[in-house]
Amino acid sequence: MQNANGKWKTWGLAAKESIIAYFRTFAIVWRSGALSLSGMMFFTLSLGVLPVGEFFVTERLVNAITAVIGEANWWQQVVPWLLGLLGLQIYSTLADQLREPLRLNVRENIEIWISEGIVRKSNTIELVEFQTPEFQNALARARTMSGDELEEIVWWIVDSIQQLISVTALGIVLWNLHPLLALLPTVTGIASWWSGSRFATDVYSLDVQQTPQRRERDALEGILTDRGAGKEVRLYQAQDLWIERWRKLWKELIQEQQTIERRKFLAHLAIGISRALLYACSLILLLLEVSRGRLTVGTYIAAAVAIVNLDGIWNGVAGYFLLIADDMRRLSGDLYAFLDRDTKTVGKAPSTPQKAPNLTAAQEPSHLQIENVSFFYPNAQEPVLRQVNLTLKKGERVALVGPNGAGKSTLARLLLGLYRPQTGVIRIGDIPLNEEARQQWLTHCSAVFQDFTCYHLTARENIIFGDLEHPERMEAASTAGGAASVVDGLSAGYETVLGPTFGGRDLSGGEWQRIATARGFMRETPWLVVLDEPTAALDPLAEQAIYERFIHRSSGRTSLIISHRLSSVRTCNRILVLDNGTIVEDGDHETLLANDRLYAQFFRAQAQWYV
């Protein structure tokens, strides 16, 4: 009894969620074009009564023909019914044609809504979560949805209502002739729906299960077609290896799908044979009625056509229900699940609301402090930062050095507010850097990252992204970042499209880095500036010029420089040495050399090549 109650409770919850999802879908479609949707529904529902009209007109046409054969004015009895059939066909064609532009308008608006929703949701997710396969799987599945699915669900629901109107009307007509004529097509329609529903669930479950393999397949295809990867693939002659691995993934995906398709084929074949046998039985039943004098020839022909129509309509209704259920399953499980994702799944939220920090010029915080901060990347076994304590004072110029993988870039992103620590707290002055504070804090920070983005847009757009509210700073930022000389060599200056994607001018790694550095210099931030390996692709003279301009522009601001070139950090007030997720040294250049520890080892290892 308890198991039965549990099943009913689960079924009721699923039904409730399904109803909510249907209403949500209809609301989205309605907002995307209420007038177009109303017109589409009117034309579609009006088509539902046409089969009944065709039945009566066909019946009277055949009866008129049989009654006036051989008469001189036979056409006077026949032509009106022929015109009636013609009129019904013209209206059917006209309604179909008028629906299409209305559908297109609704579909395109929904497409915009879906794409914007995915993009906006992605920008609320913690950056660190982007590195998890779970998020990438969810994102990949959400991206497979389009405006077609939402628009088609409403379209199919309206079409189903139209078809049900036709089924009801034709069923009543055939029932009056003989009840079995209405019941037999109903049986095959329900059987088609039941069979298809079973297999649709299996197909969706397999589709979800295969998401990681499809992502891997697409990644392999990207390697084989990517310009950047092409040089290594060709140099090492690895094409055959990648292609074979890509083909193997494809075959594995197809084989699993074909197993379900074989079962589906056998079930549908059995239903198709049953449908043909039941139709034959219906025709025999009609012939018996004619032989008994209960039906005319016209009624027989009209009824035979109506049975075919009724069977086809039932099959169509079953197909629509399956399509609706399949798309709703994907909408709820993929798109809506992604749009409803919790945006605070990483780190811990503050237990009580905190006020945002006051960062006005009159009350700027005097320091930035982190206390006992530890940070784990998703699925990592060990923390990348361990119980870090650090205080940065306003106006300090601090360098962060250490071996690869020590956690330097991670610490910088925590200070910028891009990551949230799992343990510990970050304070701006005396106020914790909570969710409310982070958004305001970001507007007072600037950074040039080592993994900067090359936007294949104009040079102007590449640079002003750093501060869209103050485009007038672009030329000064270009000079400070060393990009002015790059722009001077472009055919259309700042309006030159960069990168080969849209046929623009491609740049060298160092030139792209200057553009990215200029972007980082756009924002005249009042507090924190981070340079994460900003000169890795630059020559020594360009590197020196960048640091000199950076020192000048960051005067009075807190700056954090991450670099492996220790000659670049000698002028910093403080040098922090990070090793294995912990700050192991803190001091100026001379002090750290005198301590003769890790920093001194690094410095001597680099200096020997210049002696």
Side-chain angles (χ1 to χ4, degrees):
M1 188 65 179
Q2 290 180 350
N3 291 337
N5 290 335
K7 289 181 180 179
W8 277 109
K9 186 176 180 180
T10 302
W11 183 87
L13 182 61
K16 180 180 178 181
E17 292 176 351
S18 179
I19 292 171
I20 292 173
Y22 276 107
F23 276 107
R24 180 177 184 178
T25 300
F26 189 84
I28 293 168
V29 177
W30 182 261
R31 289 197 301 268
S32 299
L35 186 61
S36 296
L37 180 61
S38 299
M40 186 183 75
M41 292 174 66
F42 169 77
F43 287 119
T44 303
L45 294 177
S46 66
L47 293 173
V49 298
L50 287 186
V52 174
E54 290 173 351
F55 173 86
F56 285 111
V57 172
T58 301
E59 180 186 29
R60 280 153 180 75
L61 174 63
V62 174
N63 288 336
I65 291 173
T66 56
V68 299
I69 290 177
E71 295 183 8
N73 296 324
W74 62 268
W75 57 272
Q76 293 180 354
Q77 300 294 325
V78 173
V79 168
W81 298 112
L82 284 174
L83 292 177
L85 279 179
L86 178 62
L88 291 174
Q89 288 300 315
I90 290 174
Y91 180 79
S92 176
T93 303
L94 182 63
D96 273 335
Q97 294 301 316
L98 289 174
R99 290 189 304 177
E100 286 309 309
L102 300 177
R103 286 190 67 180
L104 179 63
N105 179 60
V106 173
R107 182 187 305 131
E108 294 302 321
N109 287 332
I110 296 172
E111 194 75 47
I112 294 172
W113 180 88
I114 291 176
S115 298
E116 182 178 354
I118 292 174
V119 170
R120 289 190 179 278
K121 172 56 67 171
S122 297
N123 278 275
T124 65
I125 298 295
E126 289 288 333
L127 281 178
V128 70
E129 194 173 348
F130 277 74
Q131 302 179 36
T132 64
E134 293 80 9
F135 174 80
Q136 291 300 325
N137 289 340
L139 178 60
R141 296 197 61 80
R143 282 176 168 171
T144 62
M145 304 303 299
S146 67
D148 289 348
E149 277 81 1
L150 272 82
E151 181 266 337
E152 283 175 346
I153 285 175
V154 175
W155 176 266
W156 288 332
I157 290 175
V158 175
D159 261 3
S160 298
I161 296 173
Q162 173 213 321
Q163 302 280 29
L164 288 173
I165 292 172
S166 300
V167 163
T168 303
L170 280 178
I172 292 172
V173 171
L174 292 174
W175 182 279
N176 289 330
L177 298 177
H178 196 290
L180 286 177
L181 297 177
L183 292 175
L184 293 179
T186 304
V187 172
T188 58
I190 293 175
S192 295
W193 169 80
W194 177 80
S195 173
S197 180
R198 282 187 54 206
F199 290 111
T201 303
D202 293 341
V203 168
Y204 177 74
S205 299
L206 179 62
D207 190 51
V208 173
Q209 180 183 334
Q210 289 183 334
T211 301
Q213 290 95 320
R214 284 199 304 276
R215 285 182 51 233
E216 183 180 357
R217 175 202 64 193
D218 295 342
L220 289 173
E221 185 174 346
I223 291 174
L224 291 166
T225 57
D226 181 67
R227 170 175 170 262
K231 56 182 180 295
E232 289 194 7
V233 171
R234 296 188 183 190
L235 175 63
Y236 299 122
Q237 299 180 357
Q239 299 97 318
D240 292 342
L241 172 66
W242 292 121
I243 292 174
E244 183 58 33
R245 186 171 175 181
W246 171 79
R247 185 189 293 115
K248 182 180 178 182
L249 275 170
W250 255 119
K251 289 183 176 180
E252 289 174 353
L253 291 170
I254 293 172
Q255 286 172 357
E256 292 177 344
Q257 294 166 4
Q258 287 178 339
T259 301
I260 296 178
E261 289 301 319
R262 283 192 291 269
R263 291 164 45 213
K264 184 178 178 181
F265 167 76
L266 293 174
H268 287 185
L269 179 62
I271 293 173
I273 293 173
S274 301
R275 176 177 286 113
L277 292 174
L278 291 176
Y279 177 62
C281 292
S282 299
L283 291 180
I284 293 172
L285 184 60
L286 281 172
L287 284 173
L288 292 175
E289 293 296 303
V290 171
S291 65
R292 294 169 183 166
R294 298 177 182 174
L295 298 179
T296 65
V297 174
T299 304
Y300 173 83
I301 294 175
V305 173
I307 291 171
V308 174
N309 286 339
L310 184 60
D311 183 66
I313 293 171
W314 265 120
N315 196 44
V317 170
Y320 280 136
F321 284 171
L322 290 175
L323 291 171
I324 292 168
D326 184 51
D327 272 1
M328 282 305 303
R329 191 180 292 110
R330 294 176 59 222
L331 276 173
S332 298
D334 298 338
L335 179 63
Y336 293 162
F338 180 82
L339 296 180
D340 296 339
R341 287 177 70 91
D342 186 2
T343 58
K344 299 179 181 180
T345 56
V346 179
K348 61 177 184 179
S351 56
T352 57
Q354 301 286 341
K355 64 178 181 177
N358 190 334
L359 298 175
T360 60
Q363 300 183 16
E364 287 184 358
S366 61
H367 63 278
L368 169 62
Q369 185 177 19
I370 63 176
E371 302 173 0
N372 299 319
V373 163
S374 295
F375 184 85
F376 288 81
Y377 280 106
N379 303 320
Q381 300 298 321
E382 297 290 333
V384 66
L385 294 175
R386 307 166 186 268
Q387 299 293 313
V388 175
N389 290 277
L390 174 65
T391 300
L392 300 181
K393 296 180 180 178
K394 179 79 167 73
E396 272 193 310
R397 188 162 63 250
V398 181
L400 186 59
V401 301
N404 291 328
K408 301 185 294 298
S409 295
T410 302
L411 179 57
R413 292 172 188 182
L414 284 165
L415 293 172
L416 290 167
L418 296 174
Y419 288 172
R420 290 192 295 170
Q422 278 83 9
T423 63
V425 64
I426 302 175
R427 300 182 188 276
I428 311 298
D430 297 326
I431 299 175
L433 191 60
N434 55 26
E435 199 61 35
E436 293 77 14
R438 281 209 298 171
Q439 296 305 314
Q440 186 178 356
W441 175 240
L442 287 172
T443 65
H444 294 270
C445 300
S446 182
V448 180
F449 299 108
Q450 59 178 326
D451 53 348
F452 58 85
T453 301
C454 303
Y455 298 100
H456 289 190
L457 301 170
T458 64
R460 176 185 301 277
E461 290 169 315
N462 265 273
I463 296 172
I464 67 172
F465 280 166
D467 193 341
L468 294 171
E469 295 183 359
H470 299 92
E472 71 279 359
R473 298 173 180 169
M474 180 186 64
E475 293 189 5
S478 298
T479 301
S485 60
V486 177
V487 174
D488 289 342
L490 301 177
S491 58
Y494 287 104
E495 307 310 321
T496 305
V497 175
L498 304 181
T501 301
F502 305 109
R505 162 76 180 277
D506 202 4
L507 303 179
S508 68
E511 289 173 326
W512 275 117
Q513 194 157 37
R514 294 188 189 198
I515 295 290
T517 304
R519 181 164 60 243
F521 284 173
M522 274 291 295
R523 178 177 288 177
E524 294 185 355
T525 175
W527 225 96
L528 179 63
V529 184
V530 173
L531 266 68
D532 186 357
E533 293 286 352
T535 60
L538 300 181
D539 60 72
L541 293 179
E543 177 186 12
Q544 181 180 353
I546 289 289
Y547 276 115
E548 288 176 353
R549 287 191 290 267
F550 172 71
I551 291 171
H552 174 71
R553 288 179 64 84
S554 62
S555 177
R557 305 164 188 164
T558 307
S559 56
L560 181 68
I561 300 174
I562 301 174
S563 179
H564 285 106
R565 302 182 185 180
L566 301 190
S567 59
S568 305
V569 304
R570 295 181 60 175
T571 58
C572 291
N573 307 122
R574 293 170 63 190
I575 300 173
L576 305 175
V577 181
L578 196 65
D579 186 26
N580 197 27
T582 304
I583 296 176
V584 294
E585 293 185 73
D586 183 354
D588 58 24
H589 173 72
E590 299 299 334
T591 301
L592 296 184
L593 280 183
N595 289 342
D596 196 23
R597 296 171 60 190
L598 186 59
Y599 178 83
Q601 296 175 30
F602 283 168
F603 187 81
R604 286 195 295 267
Q606 291 185 13
Q608 66 176 327
W609 297 102
Y610 297 96
V611 176

